[in-house]
Amino acid sequence: MNFYGIYVDIIGPIVCSIIGGIFTVVGVYLTIVYEKNKEKEEIKQANKPLFYLLHPMQYFDSDKAVTYTISSGKKDYQYKIQGIFKNTEKSIMVIDYILVDNKKYYSRNGEIIDKDRIFYLDIYLEEKIKDNVDINLFVKDIYNNPYQYKLQLEKLKNRDVSMVRAMNEI
C-alpha cells in the first residue's frame, strides 16, 4: 500500500472526523451560551419593574400610599423633590438610590416596593439644584438587575421644591 492509499483509507477519515467533532462541540457550546443569555434576558424582562408617574391632580387612593424618603441622612435640607408613582402588578421593585449631580442619596426607611403599590417619593437634597442638573433614579428588580430613569422636574413657584414632571428610562 502506498502513502496515498493509507491517507485516503485511514488518515483522511480520522482527520476529517476530528475536525467535524471539534466543529460540533463548538456549535453545541455556542448554542448553550446563546440559550443561557436568552433565558437570562427573558427572566429580566419578566421581572422588570414597571412603574409610572401619577399626576398630583389625578385621582388615587392616597390612604393606601406609602412614603419613601431619600436623603443624605442629615436633618437639614436645602431642596426637596416630590413624586407620586405607582408600581404595577408585574413585579416587586427596589429603590437603590438617586443620583443628583454625581452625588448619591439613599433611602432611609426601606426600599422595597410591593406590586400594585402607590408611593410618594420624597427626596431631600443638601443643596439647591441648578436648572439643568441631571437627576437619575436607580431601581432594581428582585434579581438585582439595575434600571435607570432620568427624572424631569417642574419647580414650584416661590419655593425650594420641585415635582417630578416626567421620567424616561435610560
Side-chain angles (χ1 to χ4, degrees), residues 73-136:
K74 296 180 180 177
K75 298 212 179 222
D76 294 333
Y77 68 91
Q78 298 294 319
Y79 202 84
K80 181 178 180 181
I81 300 171
Q82 296 177 316
I84 307 167
F85 300 91
K86 182 171 183 185
N87 192 17
T88 61
E89 295 180 2
K90 186 174 179 192
S91 69
I92 295 172
M93 96 183 212
V94 179
I95 296 177
D96 197 10
Y97 61 91
I98 296 280
L99 184 66
V100 179
D101 212 17
N102 292 326
K103 182 164 182 154
K104 292 181 181 180
Y105 293 90
Y106 292 93
S107 177
R108 288 193 319 194
N109 31 317
E111 306 135 345
I112 299 173
I113 300 173
D114 205 5
K115 295 177 181 179
D116 199 29
R117 171 73 67 183
I118 296 173
F119 63 97
Y120 298 103
L121 187 60
D122 293 339
I123 306 161
Y124 296 96
L125 305 177
E126 293 177 348
E127 51 200 43
K128 293 181 182 181
I129 59 173
K130 301 170 189 131
D131 288 335
N132 293 327
V133 68
D134 283 337
I135 300 174
N136 296 320

Side-chain angles (χ1 to χ4, degrees), residues 24-60:
T24 302
V25 169
V26 169
V28 169
Y29 173 77
L30 292 175
T31 302
I32 290 171
V33 168
Y34 172 77
E35 289 298 323
K36 280 186 179 180
N37 289 338
K38 184 177 165 186
E39 183 180 351
K40 283 180 186 178
E41 188 62 31
E42 287 173 358
I43 290 172
K44 184 176 178 180
Q45 289 301 320
N47 290 292
K48 179 180 180 181
L50 291 178
F51 64 105
Y52 55 92
L53 184 66
L54 294 175
H55 191 276
M57 301 307 256
Q58 181 179 351
Y59 173 77
F60 62 92

Side-chain angles (χ1 to χ4, degrees), residues 6 10 12 39 100 104 110 113 124-125 148-149 158 163 165:
I6 294 173
I10 300 172
E39 183 180 351
V100 179
K104 292 181 181 180
I113 300 173
Y124 296 96
L125 305 177
Q148 182 178 352
Y149 299 88
N158 302 326
M163 292 293 293
R165 177 174 50 95

Side-chain angles (χ1 to χ4, degrees), residues 3-21:
F3 178 74
Y4 179 74
I6 294 173
Y7 178 76
V8 170
D9 292 339
I10 300 172
I11 298 174
I14 292 174
V15 170
C16 289
S17 64
I18 290 172
I19 292 172

